[in-house]
Amino acid sequence: MLALGAGLFLGSCSKDYLEVSSTRTMSKSDIDKISQTSPHLKDASLYGIYAYNMTAYSGGTTGHDDFGQKGYDIYTDMVSGDMNLNAYGYGWYRDIANLTDLQNPSSTTNHKPWRFYYFMVRATNLIIVDLAGQDGNGIPTSDKDKVVLAEAKALRAYMYYNLVNMYTAGYDANEKILPIYEAPIYTNTPAKKTQEVFALMEKDLKSSLSLYESAGEDRVKDRISVDYFVAKGILAYVYAAKGTSDALLEAAKLSKDVIEGGGYSLATKEILLKGFNKVNDNPNWMWGGKITTQTDLDLVSWWGQVDVFTYSYAAIGDTKGMSEQLYNSIPEKDVRKGQFSNKKTTDVNGDVRDFGATAYVAYNKFYSATGRIFMGQRIIESDYLYMRLEEMYLLNAEVNARVGNEGEAKNTLKELMAIRIADTSYIDGLSSTGLVDEILKQTRIELWGEGKVYAAIKRNKKSFQYGSNHLFLRDKVYNFNDKQTTWRVPQDELLNNPVYNN
């Protein structure tokens, strides 16, 4: 424990500094030159994007909270109020949990996601332009290239979707926040209206689905790629965030397509308590990141920051847990109550940890593939979860309820809840706002720690309350569009992009 503490102390600091250089890119001429002898490069570039999504320090800093998409899942979960920082002995997440970093445009908390997602946008643009031309509208002749292009377009939309969630206060069609890049250019572009960003996401995802269908790949691929059904799921989220009546109906249709046509199955009660840690062991996983010892992740990872059975921050005391009010709202006989604990926890070797009476750590929802052994996972071998089937059930119920299709919403919610509780009849008595609120509550419980709740609160235009066990802001209430809980456009973007406000 002392050795681990020393290592964590030496690797951490209260603030990290921005990386000045942004030269970790490959030019179009570089790709053209290598492609003459390496036609597989487009595949390799695509695999590189997936790998970068799991890479430590991919936000351009040396922070131990900087490790790609799952790092920003923690950010948004904390700001939503459902994931508490229970202690901050090493400094990480303190100024996110108390919201001070979000108010400072020069903070790395604002810089890292912006830098990461735009870096990923550029990487996808290199592939898109190579396969579809400068305007991105070309269609490759080979089925293999169609699939590569389909993945690249879906991934580009996914990056913009995350930027929209974090840096805007919700769907305001005429708000100018995000620059759009559809080609790997070196010139700055001005911030575009939100409706233009949504138009690009919709166009990309529709094109992706069409390309998959043309290539005969309209089925589940390998669960570690953005395949046909994952692209449908992302498009459903985009429409739900847009929130117009026609968009909500499209989201309902797409999420139902995934539920009925994807071939996935809902997690059983046993799976819900066995630890979400491997893509191939979970039939409900739609998309995940495959991690092996060669991935070379250790304490700077989602597992290191959240899992008490991994050798890292959470295991030594800086745990992340559920809001007390949210935990108390889970019925005693709901299987998900057993995913969290506020009692002394014993691992399989008999070692005991007391994380605190109000910690509510997810010791039985997420634990490392090496088993429930404190600090048992040193080099990360547990996979990352990006999307699972239960999300589509909850999203389908939500959007149907929002457009007034309450019968459909209730049936979908009841099918999900029947695995978790014995009696779902209470759902029949819900209607209107009460039904939407119940679906949102189940979303918060079900998807705790998975980076989905912050977006759900925004698209439903709801207020949210921090728990009575929150370290800094106990019982504070925020509205969905509060500037205090919205990421700021980073200062370096405003300084280095002279046309941003044009």
Side-chain angles (χ1 to χ4, degrees):
M1 294 286 279
L2 287 172
L4 173 61
L8 297 180
F9 175 77
L10 292 171
S12 64
C13 56
S14 60
K15 294 286 181 183
D16 43 33
Y17 293 90
L18 305 187
E19 179 188 87
V20 176
S21 173
S22 59
T23 59
R24 291 159 63 187
T25 61
M26 184 177 284
S27 70
K28 177 69 165 61
S29 60
D30 291 335
I31 283 190
D32 289 341
K33 188 181 297 181
I34 300 172
S35 292
Q36 294 173 9
T37 54
S38 302
H40 66 283
L41 181 65
K42 290 180 281 292
D43 283 24
S45 298
L46 193 60
Y47 298 147
I49 293 171
Y50 288 117
Y52 199 71
N53 204 28
M54 303 185 292
T55 300
Y57 315 123
S58 53
T61 74
T62 57
H64 287 195
D65 57 347
D66 183 356
F67 41 83
Q69 179 60 49
K70 296 306 293 182
Y72 308 127
D73 285 351
I74 295 176
Y75 277 13
T76 59
D77 276 342
M78 281 197 171
V79 174
S80 77
D82 285 348
M83 177 183 277
N84 287 342
L85 178 66
N86 291 325
Y88 58 94
Y90 300 94
W92 304 116
Y93 302 102
R94 178 191 62 200
D95 293 335
I96 297 169
N98 64 24
L99 299 181
T100 57
D101 262 2
L102 293 191
Q103 310 315 305
N104 179 9
S106 65
S107 73
T108 59
T109 297
N110 286 306
H111 165 83
K112 277 178 280 193
W114 188 277
R115 191 261 190 196
F116 171 78
Y117 289 122
Y118 274 111
F119 187 96
M120 296 285 270
V121 165
R122 178 175 176 79
T124 58
N125 280 339
L126 287 164
I127 297 172
I128 292 168
V129 167
D130 189 44
L131 288 173
Q134 196 68 22
D135 63 2
N137 294 324
I139 299 177
T141 55
S142 79
D143 288 343
K144 181 179 180 181
D145 283 350
K146 287 177 183 177
V147 171
V148 172
L149 180 58
E151 287 186 59
K153 286 191 171 186
L155 280 164
R156 182 169 70 180
Y158 177 72
M159 302 309 156
Y160 276 114
Y161 171 74
N162 283 286
L163 283 164
V164 165
N165 280 333
M166 297 179 77
Y167 291 92
T168 72
Y171 185 80
D172 179 347
N174 294 312
E175 182 184 24
K176 289 186 175 182
I177 292 290
L178 303 175
I180 290 176
Y181 296 92
E182 297 185 66
I185 59 176
Y186 285 99
T187 56
N188 292 305
T189 65
K192 298 295 186 182
K193 293 180 179 179
T194 301
Q195 61 185 328
E196 295 178 79
V197 182
F198 271 78
L200 174 61
M201 292 189 288
E202 290 171 34
K203 183 181 77 170
D204 272 351
L205 289 161
K206 288 177 181 178
S207 176
S208 174
L209 294 174
S210 178
L211 286 161
Y212 274 125
E213 289 165 2
S214 177
E217 290 291 335
D218 52 341
R219 56 185 181 274
V220 173
K221 189 179 179 184
D222 53 19
R223 300 179 192 246
I224 59 173
S225 305
V226 175
D227 62 21
Y228 181 72
F229 285 102
V230 174
K232 279 195 172 187
I234 297 170
L235 183 54
Y237 273 127
V238 169
Y239 279 132
K242 188 175 182 179
T244 58
S245 295
D246 57 337
L248 292 175
L249 289 171
E250 287 295 325
K253 179 181 180 300
L254 287 162
S255 54
K256 188 173 183 178
D257 286 348
V258 175
I259 291 169
E260 295 183 345
Y264 313 100
S265 57
L266 288 170
T268 62
K269 289 182 179 181
E270 291 73 26
I271 288 175
L272 289 171
L273 294 175
K274 80 168 191 176
F276 288 12
N277 52 46
K278 282 295 180 183
V279 172
N280 296 331
D281 293 345
N282 294 279
N284 58 324
W285 281 32
M286 296 172 58
W287 178 28
K290 186 71 175 174
I291 297 177
T292 66
T293 53
Q294 284 70 43
T295 312
D296 197 27
L297 289 181
D298 48 29
L299 56 91
V300 186
S301 64
W302 183 92
W303 287 97
Q305 290 288 5
V306 177
D307 177 40
V308 297
F309 300 107
T310 293
Y311 179 95
S312 192
Y313 293 99
I316 204 170
D318 282 9
T319 59
K320 288 79 182 170
M322 181 177 269
S323 156
E324 186 166 32
Q325 278 66 32
L326 185 59
Y327 176 81
N328 288 338
S329 75
I330 307 174
E332 288 300 323
K333 293 185 178 180
D334 187 324
V335 66
R336 295 168 301 179
K337 193 88 167 184
Q339 292 179 331
F340 301 88
S341 175
N342 65 329
K343 300 177 177 64
K344 290 182 179 180
T345 303
T346 305
D347 72 6
V348 297
N349 292 330
D351 290 336
V352 179
R353 297 282 190 277
D354 186 354
F355 297 109
T358 60
Y360 303 106
V361 296
Y363 84 112
N364 234 5
K365 178 177 182 178
F366 308 110
Y367 56 84
S368 69
T370 55
R372 296 177 74 254
I373 304 170
F374 291 125
M375 300 194 190
Q377 178 173 236
R378 179 64 179 88
I379 302 299
I380 306 302
E381 298 181 63
S382 305
D383 296 336
Y384 279 164
L385 170 62
Y386 300 131
M387 185 182 290
R388 60 183 171 105
L389 181 61
E390 287 78 5
E391 297 176 37
M392 294 295 106
Y393 273 80
L394 289 161
L395 185 64
N396 183 269
E398 173 199 314
V399 294
N400 273 309
R402 286 167 65 186
V403 295
N405 293 335
E406 294 187 356
E408 188 77 16
K410 292 176 184 179
N411 289 338
T412 304
L413 182 60
K414 287 169 72 173
E415 187 175 348
L416 176 79
M417 292 300 297
I419 299 173
R420 288 144 182 79
I421 57 178
D423 184 4
T424 64
S425 61
Y426 80 96
I427 296 172
D428 294 324
L430 301 173
S431 62
S432 189
T433 302
L435 178 59
V436 174
D437 288 346
E438 176 65 16
I439 295 166
L440 180 57
K441 186 183 87 168
Q442 295 306 329
T443 299
R444 293 169 60 206
I445 295 169
E446 182 71 28
L447 303 179
W448 184 94
E450 298 178 41
K452 300 298 191 300
V453 171
Y454 182 77
I457 290 169
K458 279 191 170 181
R459 65 177 178 258
N460 283 281
K461 295 180 169 52
K462 297 293 184 178
S463 61
F464 55 100
Q465 184 172 15
Y466 284 15
S468 57
N469 57 336
H470 197 278
L471 270 180
F472 305 105
L473 302 166
R474 294 184 182 95
D475 302 319
K476 284 281 291 182
V477 177
Y478 296 93
N479 202 30
F480 74 96
N481 57 357
D482 196 309
K483 289 185 178 180
Q484 293 185 74
T485 60
T486 303
W487 271 255
R488 300 289 181 91
V489 176
Q491 182 173 292
D492 55 336
E493 173 71 21
L494 300 176
L495 291 175
N496 298 323
N497 183 351
V499 299
Y500 177 83
N501 288 311
N502 285 8

